[in-house]
Amino acid sequence: MRTFPLSRRAVLAGTAAAAAVATLPVLQGRAQAAVPAEGGAYRWRNVVQGGTGFITGVLFHPSVRGLAYARTDIGGAYRWDDRTDRWIPLTDHIGWDDWNLLGVEAMAVDPAHPNRLYLSLGTYAQSWAGNGAVLRSEDRGATWKRTDLSVKLGANEDGRGCGERLLVDPRDSDTLWLGTRHDGLLRSTDRGATWKAVGFPAAPSATGQGITLLVAAGRSVYAGWGDSDGTSANLYRTADGTTWEAVPGQPAGTAAKVPVRAAYDRHTRELYVTYANAPGPNGQSDGSVHKLRTTTGKWTEVTPVKPGGPTSDGGTDSFGYGGVAVDARRPGTVVVSTNNRWSLVDTLYRTTDGGRTWTSLKDKAVLDVSETPYLKWGADKPKFGWWIQAVALDPFDSGHIVYGTGATLYGTRDLKHWAPEIRGLEEASIRQLISPPAGEAHLISGSGDIGVMYHERLTASPSRGMASNPVFGTSTGLALAAAKPSYVVRAGWGDNGNGAWSNDGGKTWAPFESQPSMAKSAPGPITTNADGSVLLWSFGMGNPGFRSADNGGSWSQVASFPEGAVPVADPVDPSRFYAFDTTTGTLHASTDSGRTFTARATGLNSGDTEFQLAVAPGRSGDLWLSLKWNGLYRSTDGGATFTKVGSCWASYTLGFGKAAEGASYPAVYMVGSTESITAVYRSDDEAKSWTRINDDQHQWGWIGAAISGDPRVYGRVYIATNGRGVQYGEPAR
């Protein structure tokens, strides 16, 4: 899962000092007041999509039946509730300034203390991202204590499916180990409260993978090293918690360059290690599986199928190996996964004899995705999966295996029938939201990776799955005609066209008959005017905007459209469009149905690329301009002049919903700051005053992409998150 660019202010705000300790729930951002204003209490839930993001790790507790945890690359961590068959989010309290902590690098449990849970957090290890942190809980993630680190972690970078990189020492529950990408090995002797670097034989690199895994084998700890050249050591161990050594006799070569994951069979005292020539999830083309008998030091290669063979279409069957799990009840029973196997599709291999023979579980698998139909990806049936690096085997049920993909978590109870075990886990990165004023669906969403979804229900994954004809990956634009809401257009990344239209409110789609040449390489935001007769499509800086007056049959260049601007249509007058030029801080307007644009108001935050232009429904020329930390501005004359709104000092995204009873103006919803905290607000009086409607337990990191009220239900609001899907809130009754 990827994220989209953030402002430097938002990025740097997450940076924390080394080893600072806090007790959570804590106040996020710059807040001093932690609760919603009186009358602002809301109930928050996910709009159900059914996963849609990369599951990077699953961990069953070895001592408690039905207890498991999952981690994601940008969407936080979850605990499995065995009574309701649902995942419970554990990190929604992470706030705006700490957005970088919503990516979970690794997790650990204590076999001797079932209520203890540890998470290492940090989405990016880049210079512009904040430092990582460790959360520790004594009640399975219900409450947390936090330690900020002086190092960076990379839960959404290459190698994010490796690990776990966090481990409770098998000799001492008070001691924890944390492997980092660029700063070596850290150790805590007080259950994660403080951390210190310890000596490790391999030298960290500023650009490498560092430690890819930590695993206990008996009383020893093994650490994988991801920066080997294929000949130097990549697996180390310590038997006393002090001295580390390279494991003798370990495999070498390209196919064993990066140790991806490891699992220990306590019955046979064998450590199984999966390898690849790259950390993944992308870029792997070779790999292997080896086991080490820890009592004798003997290594044995047990690779199910070696990469490199021919495929039926004349290609090469290239892939690496990813996940590995052992059966706690059956000695010698192990499951491993292939990864990045695009031609023949990834699979799980299972052995019951310690790796002498293997069976592909994909070959006889029956997949049931009726609960999450989008997994068919516009085809007749779903594929077994891809990006399989998270594999887990229930220690209390040998038939219960789960594995994560780039979009879901599949599970089986009989090794044949598979279905998503994903309820409650929503990880989409949402880019656009539309709440139509009429029709069956109250919501249409546009996501990264998963395109557009038509939500005929908020409590079930859309029955039509992803919008097809064509199927998009990442959505770049979504809009409806305000006076003709049955007409909807969308744009995005796709292999069979980059734009489409719908005449039934988004239920079914047809591709544009033609598209501008740059649409394939740089699809951008798109809009339609009030009656659906004109389309405007933007393609980023360096490219002109294009116009179509025949439903995408032909396109003409609009030379006066500001490069890279987001086109916005007037909701009443079909001849009017607006666009904000961030390079000059100028509002441009068209009064001839998008044929030409002229400059109107100027001097609005010139040079800042972070903005959002919104139009109030049912009102011509009523514009609202969110300029992030530079404030909120309003124009009632079609952009000729703007006045700064004094009731807030920061506005990141703005939307409208049904007016309050007795009010004549739509309810205004905002992610922004009225005093010190960045939060979700509602105004029923045209932004004269605001009520905070989220709370400290519902913050979801960075939520600056889109917000929309429901034009048919007062108080209901939809929020686009970057990793926790669509959140919707309604006033608590």
Side-chain angles (χ1 to χ4, degrees):
M1 178 71 70
R2 287 118 314 278
T3 65
F4 34 92
L6 300 173
S7 68
R8 179 160 299 275
R9 178 190 179 103
V11 168
L12 296 181
T15 305
V21 183
T23 301
L24 296 179
V26 298
L27 306 185
Q28 304 297 335
R30 305 187 303 173
Q32 300 301 316
V35 297
E38 184 178 352
Y42 261 58
R43 179 188 181 189
W44 292 98
R45 290 169 285 183
N46 260 116
V47 174
V48 175
Q49 291 176 278
T52 75
F54 187 24
I55 312 300
T56 51
V58 178
L59 186 62
F60 282 101
H61 198 285
S63 307
V64 180
R65 180 185 293 270
L67 180 58
Y69 299 94
R71 63 177 168 95
T72 65
D73 50 6
I74 65 171
Y78 296 78
R79 181 184 67 245
W80 178 252
D81 186 339
D82 205 40
R83 297 169 300 174
T84 61
D85 288 341
R86 294 185 62 84
W87 293 96
I88 307 300
L90 301 179
T91 48
D92 283 354
H93 65 272
I94 292 173
W96 176 274
D97 286 350
D98 287 324
W99 67 268
N100 191 52
L101 300 183
L102 209 57
V104 184
E105 179 87 293
M107 52 190 177
V109 297
D110 187 340
H113 298 86
N115 290 335
R116 291 180 184 171
L117 172 65
Y118 303 91
L119 303 176
S120 60
L121 309 178
T123 310
Y124 297 104
Q126 307 304 310
S127 60
W128 43 261
N131 291 339
V134 172
L135 296 187
R136 59 195 192 277
S137 175
E138 298 282 345
D139 51 16
R140 305 184 184 185
T143 60
W144 298 97
K145 292 184 178 180
R146 166 176 154 182
T147 295
D148 290 324
L149 302 173
S150 60
V151 303
K152 300 177 186 297
L153 305 178
N156 194 36
E157 299 191 349
D158 286 346
R160 57 193 181 275
C162 294
E164 302 294 327
R165 293 176 167 93
L166 185 63
L167 180 71
V168 175
D169 191 286
R171 299 174 300 272
D172 177 11
S173 288
D174 288 346
T175 297
L176 276 76
W177 300 92
L178 174 60
T180 73
R181 293 167 177 263
H182 311 310
D183 297 278
L185 184 64
L186 308 183
R187 181 175 61 188
S188 171
T189 57
D190 52 12
R191 299 207 301 273
T194 60
W195 294 85
K196 293 182 178 180
V198 298
F200 192 75
S205 164
T207 59
Q209 283 291 309
I211 294 171
T212 58
L213 65 89
L214 292 166
V215 63
R219 295 178 63 82
S220 296
V221 174
Y222 288 75
W225 184 251
D227 297 336
S228 169
D229 60 4
T231 60
S232 58
N234 57 28
L235 192 68
Y236 297 85
R237 70 183 174 198
T238 180
D240 58 9
T242 301
T243 304
W244 289 85
E245 63 173 356
V247 179
Q250 61 186 271
T254 301
K257 184 177 179 181
V258 179
V260 178
R261 285 184 176 264
Y264 180 64
D265 187 332
R266 60 183 176 86
H267 298 290
T268 64
R269 297 186 181 181
E270 292 173 319
L271 181 71
Y272 291 82
V273 186
T274 57
Y275 290 92
N277 62 338
N282 283 313
Q284 295 178 341
S285 59
D286 200 1
S288 59
V289 182
H290 298 258
K291 70 175 181 179
L292 168 67
R293 186 175 293 274
T294 59
T295 54
T296 65
K298 179 183 178 182
W299 282 92
T300 304
E301 182 173 1
V302 292
T303 306
V305 173
K306 291 189 177 181
T311 59
S312 59
D313 59 1
T316 300
D317 185 22
S318 62
F319 59 92
Y321 280 92
V324 57
V326 300
D327 191 330
R329 303 170 65 86
R330 297 181 178 180
T333 297
V334 185
V335 177
V336 300
S337 72
T338 64
N339 186 67
N340 206 45
R341 193 184 197 184
W342 293 104
S343 57
L344 297 183
V345 183
D346 280 305
T347 186
L348 300 184
Y349 287 104
R350 181 175 182 263
T351 180
T352 58
D353 56 15
R356 288 190 293 274
T357 61
W358 296 86
T359 300
S360 171
L361 297 182
K362 177 185 69 175
D363 296 346
K364 295 183 179 179
V366 178
L367 294 177
D368 177 7
V369 298
S370 56
E371 192 168 313
T372 52
Y374 78 89
L375 288 170
K376 294 182 180 180
W377 306 100
D380 294 333
K381 59 182 180 180
K383 294 183 178 181
F384 193 73
W386 73 102
W387 280 14
I388 305 177
Q389 293 188 291
V391 176
L393 206 163
D394 191 334
F396 296 90
D397 182 355
S398 297
H400 186 198
I401 301 171
V402 296
Y403 68 91
T405 76
T408 194
L409 185 72
Y410 280 112
T412 182
R413 301 281 177 163
D414 61 7
L415 307 184
K416 179 180 179 180
H417 297 89
W418 300 80
E421 292 190 9
I422 200 70
R423 292 179 186 173
L425 198 163
E426 301 287 352
E427 207 225 344
S429 173
I430 306 298
R431 310 298 179 88
Q432 300 95 23
L433 297 172
I434 292 176
S435 186
E440 178 186 22
H442 280 250
L443 181 68
I444 306 172
S445 66
S447 301
D449 300 335
I450 312 296
V452 169
M453 286 187 172
Y454 176 87
H455 303 269
E456 68 269 69
R457 295 171 58 194
L458 302 179
T459 56
S461 186
S463 63
R464 298 177 180 274
M466 299 166 58
S468 57
N469 195 27
V471 169
F472 291 162
T474 293
S475 171
T476 61
L478 180 64
L480 61 74
K484 186 185 177 183
S486 60
Y487 184 74
V488 191
V489 294
R490 60 186 174 96
W493 293 93
D495 295 329
N496 299 294
N498 302 91
W501 61 276
S502 172
N503 250 341
D504 55 14
K507 290 182 182 179
T508 60
W509 297 84
F512 296 144
E513 292 182 7
S514 69
Q515 63 182 36
S517 60
M518 66 282 296
K520 187 172 182 62
S521 59
I526 192 170
T527 196
T528 180
N529 64 346
D531 62 7
S533 61
V534 175
L535 305 176
L536 281 181
W537 200 349
S538 176
F539 300 101
M541 295 301 296
N543 295 310
F546 278 78
R547 176 183 185 273
S548 175
D550 56 5
N551 200 34
S554 61
W555 297 85
S556 58
Q557 181 176 325
V558 182
S560 55
F561 183 85
E563 290 183 1
V566 177
V568 176
D570 191 278
V572 176
D573 187 345
S575 68
R576 292 180 179 270
F577 287 93
Y578 311 98
F580 182 63
D581 185 349
T582 61
T583 61
T584 62
T586 301
L587 190 285
H588 294 255
S590 172
T591 57
D592 57 4
S593 299
R595 293 179 180 86
T596 61
F597 281 78
T598 58
R600 308 202 86 180
T602 62
L604 296 164
N605 192 35
S606 175
D608 195 331
T609 60
E610 296 288 316
F611 80 100
Q612 185 199 68
L613 181 64
V615 291
R619 288 158 173 79
S620 182
D622 191 349
L623 310 180
W624 297 73
L625 182 61
S626 294
L627 293 178
K628 313 309 177 187
W629 55 88
N630 291 295
L632 176 64
Y633 292 77
R634 184 184 181 188
S635 172
T636 57
D637 55 11
T641 60
F642 278 86
T643 301
K644 190 170 186 178
V645 176
S647 59
C648 64
W649 68 268
S651 179
Y652 299 94
T653 184
L654 195 82
F656 303 90
K658 185 177 181 179
E661 185 176 355
S664 60
Y665 198 84
V668 184
Y669 296 91
M670 179 183 70
V671 175
S673 303
T674 62
E675 293 180 358
S676 56
I677 191 170
T678 299
V680 184
Y681 296 89
R682 187 191 73 232
S683 175
D684 295 329
D685 56 10
E686 298 185 52
K688 295 181 179 66
S689 63
W690 300 91
T691 298
R692 184 187 175 192
I693 58 175
N694 73 324
D695 56 63
D696 285 355
Q697 295 306 303
H698 300 91
Q699 300 198 79
W700 318 289
W702 190 77
I703 50 175
I707 189 171
S708 176
D710 192 308
R712 290 176 272 175
V713 181
Y714 168 70
R716 181 187 290 174
V717 60
Y718 307 97
I719 300 174
T721 77
N722 188 37
R724 281 288 287 121
V726 182
Q727 299 288 335
Y728 77 101
E730 296 177 307
R733 305 300 181 186

